[in-house]
Amino acid sequence: MDKPLSLWSRIAQALSALGRGEGLSSVFDNLREPPERSVAFTIAVIALGAKMAKADGQVTRDEVAAFRRIFQIPAGEEVNAARVFDMARTDVAGFDAYARKIARMFGPGADVLKDVLEGLFFIAMADGDYHEGEDAFLHEVARIFGLEECCFRAMKAAFVPDSAPDPWSVLEVAPGTPIAEVRKIWSAKVREAHPDRAIARGLPPEAVQLAEQRLIALNAAWEEIRDSAAHP
């Protein structure tokens, strides 16, 4: 029985299938169905990450390391990840062209698009700074993805230390919402963020750390609201 191809080998195959003169954004036209959505997700985060790296004018070692932490790139596979990054960085197509194709592939507002945006926030904060260019970039990607403004603010609150990360924003609920309703919303978001659910919607197993990060932020927000309600 043949050994299944690794995620990175499947990415290499997807890139090699591009026709002469086709840009990287064309790869998304060929990756619309499972199980290749995990390939599309990975290429989406790396490619948009490469475009975002140009937003603050530089690619830092921390940002490169962030890719490795998200995707757990094994030794010997870096070349395939680097090829995606370089193709996106040098592609004349703008990041908005990438974002629109990704949104069409998964469907505007899809949960997996939230996973992509979270990956980009993770990369943006890898160097410890959140630049104006990165904020504008991520805000526009969220808009193209069809994600609501409150969703963008929730992610920003969870990832950016100086963005007033109040727990209400993280859970996307209005301050003062009854505690029973907050608990119901928190429980639903925890189920949605479970790694198994994330993998089912297209997140590759190599990137389950993103789902785990979301769970940590959701639980911390719920605990803060719950404790403040118990001790007003």
Side-chain angles (χ1 to χ4, degrees), residues 148 150-151 153-154 166-189 218 221-222 225-226:
E148 295 182 3
C150 62
C151 177
R153 291 199 305 268
D166 69 283
W168 304 98
S169 293
V170 173
L171 291 179
E172 299 180 56
V173 294
T177 299
I179 194 68
E181 182 65 18
V182 175
R183 182 183 179 87
K184 184 186 301 182
I185 292 170
W186 163 71
S187 295
K189 288 183 176 294
L218 291 172
W222 160 246
I225 292 172
R226 180 199 62 197

Side-chain angles (χ1 to χ4, degrees), residues 8-201:
W8 303 99
S9 295
R10 286 153 56 210
I11 287 174
Q13 283 188 342
L15 298 182
S16 65
L18 290 173
R20 183 183 297 274
E22 284 188 300
L24 179 60
S25 63
S26 298
V27 78
F28 298 110
D29 296 330
N30 305 318
L31 299 172
R32 294 182 177 276
E33 301 298 330
E36 295 315 307
R37 282 193 168 197
S38 61
V39 173
F41 172 88
T42 306
I43 293 176
V45 175
I46 296 176
L48 284 173
K51 292 294 189 183
M52 184 174 63
K54 298 174 69 174
D56 65 2
Q58 59 184 337
V59 180
T60 69
R61 290 182 179 178
D62 293 321
E63 288 169 334
V64 174
F67 286 113
R68 293 186 62 90
R69 290 199 299 276
I70 291 175
F71 295 111
Q72 303 172 25
I73 304 174
E77 296 283 9
E78 295 95 336
V79 64
N80 290 324
R83 186 180 174 198
V84 175
F85 189 93
D86 289 339
M87 287 181 71
R89 187 172 52 83
T90 58
D91 194 346
V92 295
F95 77 90
D96 53 335
Y98 283 67
R100 289 191 183 93
K101 285 204 171 189
I102 295 162
R104 285 197 297 270
M105 179 178 60
F106 290 112
D111 286 337
V112 72
L113 295 176
K114 297 178 184 178
D115 297 320
V116 173
L117 191 63
E118 280 188 325
L120 295 175
F121 264 106
F122 188 89
I123 293 164
M125 290 304 301
D127 61 359
D129 292 318
Y130 188 66
H131 304 275
E132 287 186 11
E134 290 171 331
D135 185 67
F137 178 99
L138 291 169
H139 208 168
E140 180 63 9
V141 168
R143 187 192 68 79
I144 294 172
F145 279 180
L147 302 178
E148 295 182 3
E149 179 68 19
C150 62
C151 177
F152 174 79
R153 291 199 305 268
M155 287 195 197
K156 185 174 178 179
F159 280 91
V160 183
D162 61 353
S163 64
D166 69 283
W168 304 98
S169 293
V170 173
L171 291 179
E172 299 180 56
V173 294
T177 299
I179 194 68
E181 182 65 18
V182 175
R183 182 183 179 87
K184 184 186 301 182
I185 292 170
W186 163 71
S187 295
K189 288 183 176 294
V190 165
R191 288 194 298 273
E192 174 192 303
H194 191 281
D196 289 345
R197 291 278 290 271
I199 290 171
R201 63 178 175 258

